[in-house]
Amino acid sequence: MYPRLATRAEATVFTMVLTRGPVTRVEIARRSGLSSAAVTKAARPFIEAGYLEELQATERTTPGAGRPASPLTIRAQREFFTGVKITDDELIGVVTDLRAQPLVSARHPLDTMSPEGVLAALADLVAELLAADPAYRERCHWLGLAVSGDVDQVHGMVRYSPFLGWRQVPLARLAAEATGLNVTVENDVKSLTVAEQWFGEGVGASSFALVTVGTGIGCGLVVNDRVVPGWNGVAGEIGHIPVGGDEPECHCGGRGCVEAIAGAAPIVAAVRAATGDASLSIDAAIDVAHAGNTAAREVFARAGHAIGLGMAAMANLVGPERIIVTGDVQGLAAYDLFEEQINRSFTSQAFGAAADCRLLLRPRSFEQWARGAAAVAIQTHFSLQER
């Protein structure tokens, strides 16, 4: 078992090595404000337990710089974590190391969205993933689950997931009973945000936003190095910023929301109406627009306008250093149809220096969303428990 984080110094040192290592004690002290002695004391139990190790000392090149430094690094395969992204028709799972690097992945189709059916499929998927290597079963004790919708991470409750049709499902408890693992449950966008914060494009940025484009329009926020959970678990819902006046009606009960214009279902409905082809799927709608159909392209341009306005409103309120734009498969396949209008609307609506925020397009597969669920499990496992 790993040494429980007992002090803020231990949490600071371990997290810094995990997310930024290899890093020397001197650099940790400089970045954290801890004394060198405090850094050494905090690192010792993790070295003894095999979670951290010292690399070979690097030679100093500056005269009088002191002894060569021995960087600390994570022993990434000291422990493993399982992450699963739950969609309305499929489970996507990964096993990762301590740095949330996927080592093995698997998918399991769903023939039902009932919690009971999903949990049965989840137990099968987790068993398949952990059977890939005896070390996984031996050293994997945590499962992270990523679900769209309103999620209460503290209590492991899915309060409302419109795409799954779930309300008040105690998913963490049920999944723990089904798999025998410790379980964390988080909103899928927030999970991906944690992965970017600790292991991706957000490393080194004290403030950034992650915007997802696809079935819905989501947003995760990091401000002053902390993911913004929001009161009662709701924050960053730019998909429900009203940008379209009184129309169209949104599934949330509001009107004119970004998601009611730029979500996959509204886009399909609008392209069907514009082309007169009621059989179009989202993939076919994208193909029609790519083929040059003017009416279809206008639908996607309107969607891009709505997304850009929502992003600008968020940037004006929060002032992120960068915005990472990603999405599901359909969202990214259509991104070139959105991109020009997103950038134009964002730039025109963002106030002052907010318009200088960097927009980064970073494709992320569903396996990466599952990795986000594992990253939340890692963060939960190694976060300092307040006393």
Side-chain angles (χ1 to χ4, degrees), residues 11-91:
T12 298
V13 170
F14 186 82
T15 301
M16 192 170 294
V17 178
L18 178 66
T19 59
R20 302 195 183 195
V23 59
T24 66
R25 289 177 175 82
V26 172
E27 182 66 10
I28 295 172
R30 186 185 69 80
R31 288 177 176 270
S32 67
L34 296 170
S35 68
S36 296
V39 171
T40 297
K41 180 180 178 181
R44 185 178 299 118
F46 293 97
I47 294 173
E48 292 173 351
Y51 283 84
L52 300 182
E53 65 178 335
E54 291 183 292
L55 299 179
Q56 185 175 354
T58 56
E59 293 297 329
R60 301 286 192 181
T61 58
T62 304
R67 294 182 301 172
S70 298
L72 293 173
T73 192
I74 290 288
R75 293 185 65 199
Q77 298 205 3
R78 176 62 176 81
E79 192 160 350
F80 302 102
F81 295 80
T82 303
V84 176
K85 158 73 170 167
I86 302 176
T87 75
D88 60 355
D89 62 0
E90 189 177 31
L91 300 178

Side-chain angles (χ1 to χ4, degrees), residues 225-303:
D225 297 312
R226 297 178 68 88
V227 175
V228 178
W231 181 80
N232 217 18
V234 177
E237 292 288 349
I238 70 167
H240 299 288
I241 293 175
V243 297
D246 292 334
E247 296 296 337
E249 185 176 1
C250 182
H251 64 80
C252 73
R255 290 185 173 274
C257 298
V258 173
E259 193 165 295
I261 298 169
I267 286 176
V268 170
V271 174
R272 286 174 176 175
T275 62
D277 186 346
S279 68
L280 288 176
S281 64
I282 182 62
D283 292 331
I286 293 169
D287 290 342
V288 167
H290 279 147
N293 183 287
T294 300
R297 294 185 72 87
E298 288 177 353
V299 170
F300 283 95
R302 182 178 181 227

Side-chain angles (χ1 to χ4, degrees), residues 25-270:
R25 289 177 175 82
V26 172
E27 182 66 10
I28 295 172
R30 186 185 69 80
R31 288 177 176 270
S32 67
L34 296 170
S35 68
S36 296
V39 171
T40 297
K41 180 180 178 181
R44 185 178 299 118
F46 293 97
I47 294 173
E48 292 173 351
Y51 283 84
L52 300 182
E53 65 178 335
E54 291 183 292
L55 299 179
Q56 185 175 354
T58 56
E59 293 297 329
R60 301 286 192 181
T61 58
T62 304
R67 294 182 301 172
S70 298
L72 293 173
T73 192
I74 290 288
R75 293 185 65 199
Q77 298 205 3
R78 176 62 176 81
E79 192 160 350
F80 302 102
F81 295 80
T82 303
V84 176
K85 158 73 170 167
I86 302 176
T87 75
D88 60 355
D89 62 0
E90 189 177 31
L91 300 178
I92 303 94
V94 297
V95 174
T96 78
D97 62 18
L98 269 168
R99 289 194 183 277
Q101 293 305 305
L103 304 172
V104 62
S105 66
R107 293 187 172 217
H108 197 304
L110 293 174
D111 55 14
T112 175
M113 287 187 289
S114 71
E116 296 79 11
V118 171
L119 284 160
L122 176 66
D124 290 342
L125 176 64
V126 170
E128 177 185 344
L129 287 166
L130 297 184
D133 190 315
Y136 299 162
R137 173 57 70 184
E138 177 186 355
R139 301 201 296 275
C140 179
H141 307 291
W142 281 83
L143 165 65
L145 300 176
V147 185
S148 66
D150 180 1
V151 177
D152 178 354
Q153 188 204 5
V154 173
H155 298 100
M157 180 75 69
V158 179
R159 287 189 291 243
Y160 174 50
S161 178
F163 303 116
L164 293 172
W166 288 2
R167 290 185 183 273
Q168 301 301 320
V169 176
L171 187 58
R173 176 177 62 80
L174 296 174
E177 293 171 356
T179 65
L181 299 174
N182 301 300
V183 178
T184 65
V185 180
E186 181 57 285
N187 169 271
D188 53 357
V189 177
K190 286 190 175 74
S191 296
L192 196 57
T193 303
V194 169
E196 294 294 341
Q197 179 193 23
W198 277 37
F199 306 108
E201 293 288 349
V203 173
S206 65
S207 176
F208 72 91
L210 175 85
V211 173
T212 60
V213 178
T215 303
I217 309 299
C219 179
L221 297 171
V222 171
V223 177
N224 294 332
D225 297 312
R226 297 178 68 88
V227 175
V228 178
W231 181 80
N232 217 18
V234 177
E237 292 288 349
I238 70 167
H240 299 288
I241 293 175
V243 297
D246 292 334
E247 296 296 337
E249 185 176 1
C250 182
H251 64 80
C252 73
R255 290 185 173 274
C257 298
V258 173
E259 193 165 295
I261 298 169
I267 286 176
V268 170

